Amino acid sequence: MGRQLRPRRSKANYAAALAAFDSEDENDNPVASSSAAIDTLEDPDSGSDFNPEKNKNGKDNNDEEEEDEDEDEDADAEGVDDITDEEVEEEAPKPTRSAETKTPPAKGKQKAKAESASVGPPPAKRQMYALPARSVHHRHRAVPLYSREGRVERLTSRPRIFGAPSTSLTNCVTENSKISDRVNKSWGYNIGSGPLWDLAEDRGWYKEAITTADDADTEANRRPRVYSNLKVVQHLEVISIQDAAPYLPTDDVTTTEGNLQPPPALPCYFGPIKKQTLEIMNMFESIPMSKYFSESKALVFNAGAPVWGMDWCPIHPEDRAARSYKQYLAVAPFPSRSHSPDIGKRVARPSYACIQIWSLSSLNPSKPNDDGQMKCEMVLCLDTGPAYDLKWCPLPSHDLKNDTTQGKKLGLLGGTFEDGSFSLFVVPEPSNFASPEGDDQHPLSNPLLRIELEQACCWSFDWANSEVIAIGTTNGAILVYDIGSALRSYGDFSQPTIVDLLPTYYLLVHQSAVRALSWIRAPPCSSSGTPAIDQDPIVIASAGYDGMECLTDIREGRGSVMNRTRDVINALAFSPFAGGPITMDHENTVKAYSASPSMLGRGHSLFEPLGPIWSVHASDFHPQLAVGASDGTLSTTNMLRSTRRGGSVPFFVHKIFQMDYNRITKEYRMLDHFLPQESIDRPTATRAAKGKSKKDAEVFPPSTGAWPREVGVHRVVWNNGNGLASSGMIAAGTSSGLCRVDLLWGRWVKDKIPYGSVSGIRMEDGDAMEVDSDEDASGDDSD
């Protein structure tokens, strides 16, 4: 008898098993049902702790949470009258998992696949990173990065521009989850162009805040004065307007003798579209827009050349009344209208330029609704070239108005300049240079501190607080400097400029120039999870000419890519209300990203202007976002609007003004009073229009880059340093040299306040607000 061979036995097909992992359903592959190995791999109740739990109804917890979100959003869509405590009650405990329950496969929805499975591992998905989320259908919601303890101030009556505001303490948005849900949801019912004055609050955080005082929750202690030791030298060189002519903006052409001429007057039309009036505006002139629109609070002034740098000077609350509530705006124009900066190319000093200090003051203090006036108080003459980026120290650094000491200052002003440096200036008090004869006098300023690099130029920067700054360079590096100790040891302005400061961090993050960056102003946490509110922030958001948007933890020494586009990213800003940076995505889309660990990197699109974006800015007091674009528009939109489309509140984008230019007549016009437009999600609209006829398809205005350079809005900035009463004030600088200041306030949809009143939103009555009444739900305008 011959040798008996071993009987054949079927073996597990590992190729089929791998294909099963790649399929969307276990019935997609016919081999999967007949293989014991595949049955073992697809066992949903394998006892793994990482297997999602399922409730008694056969749905996992993620689906249940998503259904709760849908119910919450549906309640939003019914209108403001239906907002009650039931929408923000804590979620009921979820049922435990049943080990015996299995979800039956769906029938009739599968498509037959190829008979033979591919051998080898499944094809890799082309995804650069993985984003954490509780569910793939999870809708993005703003998550506060810092849960502050204590109370905050809120306005109790509509504020005046030049007057003391009426405030009271209320519950902070992070007091508990109910108040957080109520406040964030109530912000979504703002349909105005500006913030809701009665709902605004200060969410800014600075480590210098005084937390031990009895009134630690007031703005005076949350934003204290800093650097009181710095003084301006008494013999600061002051020059006349004739000697300052080379530092001021000039014309593009010179005289036959080769002398520079002042910039020509700018012709611009103002007023209603069919009844516009031509105004010839010279440099340093201003006009109120109430001349053409009686209800307008806007003011327009001419800086003489394109403006790239602009910022409001912070004033401490204890000194505002002594200054008659006058506010200051720093404006940095180019040397001429034809000036064009070169990236990474520095100019040799001296390169004459200037920074103009404009003031917004009252015309008639006794008039309750005074529109105010814009006036150029002082011009700082510089030899560093024009400023590319300009920002005041975020905390008040001025001397008190009634201070009798010599060398009073208005504040500390930092910027990046064309000579490739970051320079910090001590700006003198403008009233010190007021001449009784009326002659203009301008100081010739030398920087207090100057930072220069041999291998690159400083291109962008941001303050973390009054002591730490971050600088973005033209070679893709981000540098962090601690300037606090150097400034505190500085005596007066007679000492030489500080030039030997070394960075505490040198991080190579981008492959090309860092165009914009911003600190994520949230305190770091200790090992126990407690926020270290006395330390500096540690995360920087940046965007560069390489199209990358990165989040960098300075302790790690490298950046993490948050998003990447095929375009130049010109602007980036941090919003404490959105909980992360605001920057650009594909096709000029403005997008808000989350910096919260639970939703890191995820975000949602806000709107899409019709041209490339020059500047974005967010406020510490409200969630209204300001955007300046190359199509000549200044637009605002609400970042905390409802995340669900089809609700009762539309997604409005407000166009505050738009510049226009006639290439033939060389004349400008400024257009006002646009109707609000609903934001367009262009990719979604394009996909929905496929398959429809041209008659049925909705027509959207095309996005283009063919706008004349003369109309671009280069810089927009909210007033972040002068309290709640000035939080609706916004300034914009354009390529023509015209600058504009607007006062914007929002309004409730249907003029009804959710939860009956703002005190109901804030739950100021405590347990009394746990039960809603019909009177509360109907809305109350008395607050």
Side-chain angles (χ1 to χ4, degrees):
M1 182 177 178
R3 189 180 60 167
Q4 187 177 3
L5 298 178
R6 191 172 50 197
R8 291 180 177 270
R9 294 181 181 179
S10 60
K11 296 182 179 180
N13 189 340
Y14 294 101
L18 292 173
F21 279 119
D22 194 38
S23 63
E24 296 180 358
D25 191 275
E26 64 181 43
N27 293 332
D28 289 344
N29 196 330
V31 184
S33 59
S34 61
S35 175
I38 297 175
D39 291 338
T40 302
L41 292 172
E42 292 188 350
D43 183 10
D45 191 19
S46 60
S48 172
D49 293 336
F50 298 97
N51 196 31
E53 297 184 357
K54 297 187 178 182
N55 55 26
K56 296 180 180 180
N57 297 326
K59 297 180 180 180
D60 59 2
N61 292 337
N62 292 339
D63 293 338
E64 186 173 347
E65 291 176 2
E66 184 63 26
E67 287 185 358
D68 293 340
E69 279 193 318
D70 292 340
E71 294 175 3
D72 186 36
E73 295 290 355
D74 292 339
D76 289 348
E78 295 176 3
V80 293
D81 296 341
D82 298 331
I83 301 180
T84 63
D85 277 337
E86 297 177 358
E87 297 183 18
V88 292
E89 284 183 353
E90 296 181 357
E91 190 176 353
K94 299 179 175 61
T96 58
R97 176 181 62 160
S98 174
E100 302 281 308
T101 306
K102 292 186 179 181
T103 305
K107 298 180 179 180
K109 295 183 180 181
Q110 294 82 8
K111 294 183 179 179
K113 290 190 175 181
E115 293 290 340
S116 61
S118 60
V119 179
K125 297 181 179 179
R126 300 188 64 182
Q127 186 173 359
M128 298 175 57
Y129 46 81
L131 299 176
R134 295 176 297 174
S135 170
V136 294
H137 303 292
H138 180 78
R139 298 186 183 94
H140 171 77
R141 294 181 183 275
V143 180
L145 299 180
Y146 167 47
S147 296
R148 180 183 177 273
E149 297 180 357
R151 312 192 78 191
V152 294
E153 289 180 308
R154 75 172 179 92
L155 295 169
T156 57
S157 61
R158 190 180 184 91
R160 296 190 296 120
I161 304 177
F162 309 106
S166 176
T167 61
S168 66
L169 291 177
T170 185
N171 294 324
C172 181
V173 68
T174 55
E175 179 73 17
N176 55 56
S177 59
K178 282 193 174 183
I179 295 178
S180 178
D181 291 340
R182 284 188 173 199
V183 172
N184 288 340
K185 189 176 296 183
S186 299
W187 272 115
Y189 290 94
N190 176 24
I191 59 173
S193 58
L196 299 165
W197 60 265
D198 43 1
L199 199 58
E201 66 172 302
D202 185 5
R203 294 195 190 179
W205 165 77
Y206 297 97
K207 74 170 188 179
E208 296 87 346
I210 301 174
T211 58
T212 57
D214 295 335
D215 54 348
D217 297 328
T218 61
E219 182 191 358
N221 288 320
R222 295 187 64 182
R223 296 171 180 258
R225 287 196 311 126
V226 294
Y227 299 121
S228 58
N229 64 300
L230 293 178
K231 298 294 181 181
V232 178
V233 67
Q234 299 182 22
H235 56 274
L236 180 69
E237 184 177 356
V238 179
I239 58 179
S240 64
I241 186 65
Q242 291 79 14
D243 297 333
Y247 298 88
L248 299 176
T250 61
D251 196 0
D252 297 332
V253 297
T254 60
T255 62
T256 55
E257 294 81 9
N259 299 325
L260 296 174
Q261 291 182 339
L266 193 147
C268 186
Y269 288 89
F270 299 95
I273 183 64
K274 295 183 179 180
K275 298 181 181 179
Q276 287 199 314
T277 304
L278 178 63
E279 295 281 353
I280 306 299
M281 295 189 64
N282 294 310
M283 185 170 59
F284 300 138
E285 285 188 357
S286 65
I287 58 172
M289 293 303 295
S290 58
K291 181 178 179 180
Y292 309 101
F293 304 99
S294 59
E295 72 282 1
S296 178
K297 300 291 183 182
L299 298 165
V300 179
F301 60 94
N302 185 9
V307 174
W308 267 33
M310 176 181 287
D311 198 18
W312 293 94
C313 178
I315 302 296
H316 196 265
E318 297 177 355
D319 200 37
R320 292 170 188 165
R323 296 176 179 270
S324 301
Y325 298 94
K326 179 186 290 188
Q327 303 189 40
Y328 299 92
L329 180 68
V331 179
F334 277 180
S336 65
R337 295 180 183 175
S338 62
H339 185 82
S340 179
D342 293 330
I343 304 172
K345 183 179 180 181
R346 68 183 76 207
V347 297
R349 288 192 295 267
S351 177
Y352 293 156
C354 71
I355 296 177
Q356 303 171 7
I357 307 298
W358 289 77
S359 66
L360 173 61
S361 58
S362 174
L363 277 172
N364 186 4
S366 61
K367 187 178 179 180
N369 295 322
D370 189 3
D371 297 334
Q373 63 176 346
M374 294 296 300
K375 179 183 177 181
C376 184
E377 297 274 350
M378 182 175 61
V379 176
L380 300 178
C381 300
L382 316 175
D383 62 353
T384 59
Y388 293 152
D389 202 356
L390 196 69
K391 294 177 183 177
W392 293 90
C393 176
L395 295 180
S397 54
H398 60 88
D399 294 322
L400 298 179
K401 187 69 175 178
N402 54 8
D403 189 358
T404 58
T405 60
Q406 298 294 326
K408 292 194 300 183
K409 66 181 182 302
L410 182 61
L412 297 180
L413 182 62
T416 55
F417 297 88
E418 196 175 22
D419 64 346
S421 70
F422 166 82
S423 299
L424 183 65
F425 294 90
V426 178
V427 180
E429 178 68 38
S431 59
N432 294 347
F433 299 93
S435 175
E437 292 80 9
D439 298 333
D440 293 329
Q441 294 181 343
H442 308 290
L444 183 61
S445 298
N446 293 318
L448 170 70
L449 180 146
R450 176 179 287 150
I451 296 174
E452 291 182 292
L453 304 174
E454 295 182 0
Q455 67 276 17
C457 299
C458 299
W459 188 239
S460 58
F461 89 103
D462 189 30
W463 296 82
N465 42 51
S466 64
E467 298 182 354
V468 178
I469 61 172
I471 300 176
T473 64
T474 54
N475 67 344
I478 297 177
L479 286 74
V480 179
Y481 286 87
D482 187 355
I483 63 175
S485 57
L487 297 183
R488 283 190 294 267
S489 62
Y490 200 83
D492 54 38
F493 206 48
S494 60
Q495 297 182 8
T497 301
I498 302 174
V499 295
D500 55 352
L501 197 63
L502 296 177
T504 55
Y505 295 92
Y506 187 97
L507 310 172
L508 286 172
V509 179
H510 292 267
Q511 299 175 3
S512 59
V514 181
R515 182 64 177 88
L517 60 81
S518 178
W519 285 93
I520 303 298
R521 292 192 179 95
C525 290
S526 62
S527 57
S528 61
T530 305
I533 60 175
D534 58 342
Q535 298 184 14
D536 300 309
I538 57 175
V539 180
I540 302 173
S542 60
Y545 282 96
D546 54 1
M548 291 196 303
E549 298 153 351
C550 300
L551 286 176
T552 304
D553 190 327
I554 60 178
R555 300 171 300 180
E556 295 183 355
R558 59 181 180 86
S560 300
V561 179
M562 180 179 61
N563 188 34
R564 189 166 187 173
T565 65
R566 293 190 180 98
D567 203 351
V568 173
I569 304 170
N570 291 314
L572 184 144
F574 168 71
S575 170
F577 284 80
I582 316 296
T583 183
M584 294 21 319
D585 202 353
H586 300 287
E587 303 295 335
N588 304 321
T589 302
V590 183
K591 192 170 183 179
Y593 294 91
S594 176
S596 172
S598 61
M599 293 295 294
L600 183 62
R602 291 195 179 272
H604 61 282
S605 300
L606 298 176
F607 74 102
E608 180 182 339
L610 296 182
I613 297 168
W614 274 106
S615 176
V616 297
H617 197 254
S619 175
D620 290 342
F621 298 94
H622 56 80
Q624 293 294 119
L625 181 70
V627 178
S630 58
D631 61 349
T633 60
L634 166 61
S635 305
T636 62
T637 191
N638 185 5
M639 293 183 291
L640 290 188
R641 61 198 182 190
S642 173
T643 57
R644 182 184 181 94
R645 292 187 176 271
S648 60
V649 184
F651 291 6
F652 277 153
V653 175
H654 299 267
K655 188 183 297 185
I656 308 304
F657 73 89
Q658 183 170 9
M659 295 295 300
D660 196 8
Y661 179 70
N662 191 322
R663 294 182 176 92
I664 299 176
T665 62
K666 309 297 182 182
E667 293 176 338
Y668 296 84
R669 66 173 178 173
M670 182 177 287
L671 306 176
D672 283 84
H673 286 59
F674 290 91
L675 292 175
Q677 298 178 348
E678 193 168 3
S679 62
I680 301 171
D681 187 358
R682 199 175 297 273
T684 303
T686 302
R687 288 193 298 267
K690 290 183 178 179
K692 294 184 179 180
S693 61
K694 294 184 178 180
K695 295 182 179 180
D696 298 335
E698 191 173 357
V699 179
F700 300 103
S703 178
T704 179
W707 302 96
R709 67 175 186 175
E710 289 83 0
V711 303
V713 178
H714 288 169
R715 184 69 64 177
V716 294
V717 57
W718 290 103
N719 195 338
N720 272 342
N722 294 282
L724 294 170
S726 302
S727 60
M729 196 173 296
I730 186 173
T734 69
S735 178
S736 63
L738 289 181
C739 302
R740 174 164 166 155
V741 174
D742 285 88
L743 182 64
L744 308 176
W745 294 116
R747 60 180 291 259
W748 297 99
V749 61
K750 301 180 182 179
D751 293 328
K752 294 182 179 180
I753 303 178
Y755 302 99
S757 64
V758 176
S759 61
I761 297 173
R762 299 283 185 179
M763 297 182 67
E764 296 178 357
D765 297 336
D767 296 337
M769 294 304 299
E770 290 294 334
V771 180
D772 287 338
S773 62
D774 295 336
E775 183 179 356
D776 293 335
S778 62
D780 185 8
D781 298 335
S782 60
D783 190 24

